Amino acid sequence: MANEKALRSLLEAVAHGNVTPDTALDSLKDLAYEQVGDFAKIDHHRSLRTGFPEVIWGLGKTPDQIVQIMEVMRHRNPVVMATRIEPAVYAVLQSKVRGLRYYEMAKIAAITPDEIEPQFEGVIGILSAGTADLPIAEEAAVTAELAGFRVLRLWDVGVAGIHRLLSNRHLIESASVLIVVAGMEGALPSVVAGLADCPVIAVPTSIGYGASFGGLAPLLTMLNSCAPGIGVVNIDNGFGAAVLAGQILRTAQKLKLEK
C-alpha cells in the first residue's frame, strides 16, 4: 500500500466486491509513512493500528524540526502533541504554529480542537505523592485528556502524611485505572494498590536526595511491591503511563461492545 497504484487497485477491489472492507482495513493499517525533510518519517496510521496517534518527543529536536513535523501532522490528526517542550522552545513555536497551546506544568505543546470531549468510558485517576512530582503527574493527566479520556487529579497525598490519602479514599474508589506518581522511596503505589480494586500504574520520578539515584530507588521499590496488581513504567514516564491506562480502558470498552 506504499504507492497510489496499489491503493487504487485495493479500493477498486472493494468496490467490485472482490475484497471485504475488513481485509482492506487490515492492509491500510500499514500504509506508508510521510517524509519530513531529511530528519523525520511521520507514521500517520499509527492511530489506526494502535488507537493512539504518533506523538512528538521534543527533547533533542530543534524548534524548526518540531514546527515542520507539527505542520505535516495537523492535516491528518485532530490533536498534535509534543512532549518535553521547555518554555523557551515554546516561545519560538508559538510564533510559528497557529493555534498552539502550552501546558506549562506538563511541558506539553499541542494543537487541539477548542473542546475535547471524553470519548471513552471510565475514569483515569492520577495521584502524586508530592508537589515536586507534579510535572510528571501533569504530563500523564494532559496526555490522557488530549487522548479523549476523563481524568481525576489527586495531588500531594504521599505516605509521609497518609491521612491525606485516606481522607480521599472515595476518589480512589471512583477510578477505573489509577496512575500513581512518586519519587523519594516510591512507597505510595503499594499503599494505593492495597486500597484499590482496579489496575495501578506506578510512575517513579527522579525526585529525591542522593540515595534515590535519580529515580532508581523508587523504581526498585515499585518493582518489588508486595501489593499485587501494580504495573511499573520507566522513570519520569508520565506519558507512557497515560497511554497504558488508556489502552486498558479502550480494551475494556472493546470487550463490552463485543458481547
Side-chain angles (χ1 to χ4, degrees):
M1 293 301 100
N3 61 71
E4 183 178 345
K5 183 178 179 181
L7 182 57
R8 182 178 294 277
S9 177
L10 174 66
L11 294 176
E12 288 176 349
V14 173
H16 293 130
N18 298 325
V19 175
T20 67
D22 286 340
T23 300
L25 180 61
D26 287 338
S27 299
L28 293 173
K29 285 182 178 179
D30 294 315
L31 199 63
Y33 51 82
E34 182 174 352
Q35 185 82 28
V36 180
D38 59 355
F39 54 85
K41 298 176 178 65
I42 307 305
D43 181 6
H44 289 302
H45 280 67
R46 185 173 301 182
S47 180
L48 184 61
R49 296 194 313 273
T50 70
F52 294 91
E54 186 169 10
V55 171
I56 303 164
W57 170 257
L59 288 180
K61 292 183 176 67
T62 67
D64 186 60
Q65 289 172 335
I66 297 171
V67 168
Q68 290 186 59
I69 293 171
M70 282 189 156
E71 291 299 339
V72 168
M73 293 182 68
R74 76 184 306 158
H75 298 296
R76 302 283 194 96
N77 300 279
V79 174
V80 179
M81 183 174 120
T83 63
R84 302 302 167 97
I85 301 295
E86 296 293 338
V89 174
Y90 171 68
V92 178
L93 299 179
Q94 184 183 29
S95 64
K96 298 182 177 182
V97 180
R98 174 176 47 84
L100 190 65
R101 297 184 181 184
Y102 189 51
Y103 303 83
E104 186 173 3
M105 181 68 73
K107 293 184 178 179
I108 288 174
I111 303 169
T112 70
D114 292 336
E115 294 185 12
I116 299 179
E117 296 294 333
Q119 302 172 31
F120 304 95
E121 295 181 2
V123 175
I124 298 176
I126 305 180
L127 288 70
S128 76
T131 303
D133 300 310
L134 281 181
I136 305 305
E138 271 295 324
E139 180 182 73
V142 172
T143 297
E145 288 175 334
L146 293 181
F149 295 94
R150 185 174 290 104
V151 170
L152 170 68
R153 292 167 169 83
L154 185 57
W155 297 159
D156 197 23
V157 289
V159 297
I162 200 167
H163 56 290
R164 298 171 299 178
L165 176 69
L166 297 178
S167 66
N168 286 285
R169 187 169 178 178
H170 62 289
L171 297 178
I172 296 172
E173 293 172 347
S174 69
S176 311
V177 182
L178 289 165
I179 296 174
V180 184
V181 183
M184 297 291 187
E185 84 290 2
L188 184 60
S190 292
V191 177
V192 171
L195 300 172
D197 64 351
C198 64
V200 174
I201 302 168
V203 186
T205 71
S206 51
I207 300 302
Y209 292 105
S212 70
F213 298 106
L216 182 59
L219 171 65
L220 294 176
T221 296
M222 294 171 185
L223 289 172
N224 285 289
S225 174
C226 63
I230 296 178
V232 186
V233 299
N234 209 343
I235 298 167
D236 291 338
N237 191 9
F239 168 78
V243 172
L244 177 55
Q247 291 285 36
I248 291 171
L249 291 185
R250 288 178 63 253
T251 300
Q253 185 164 322
K254 181 181 178 181
L255 292 173
K256 182 179 179 180
L257 293 173
E258 289 176 352
K259 288 184 178 180

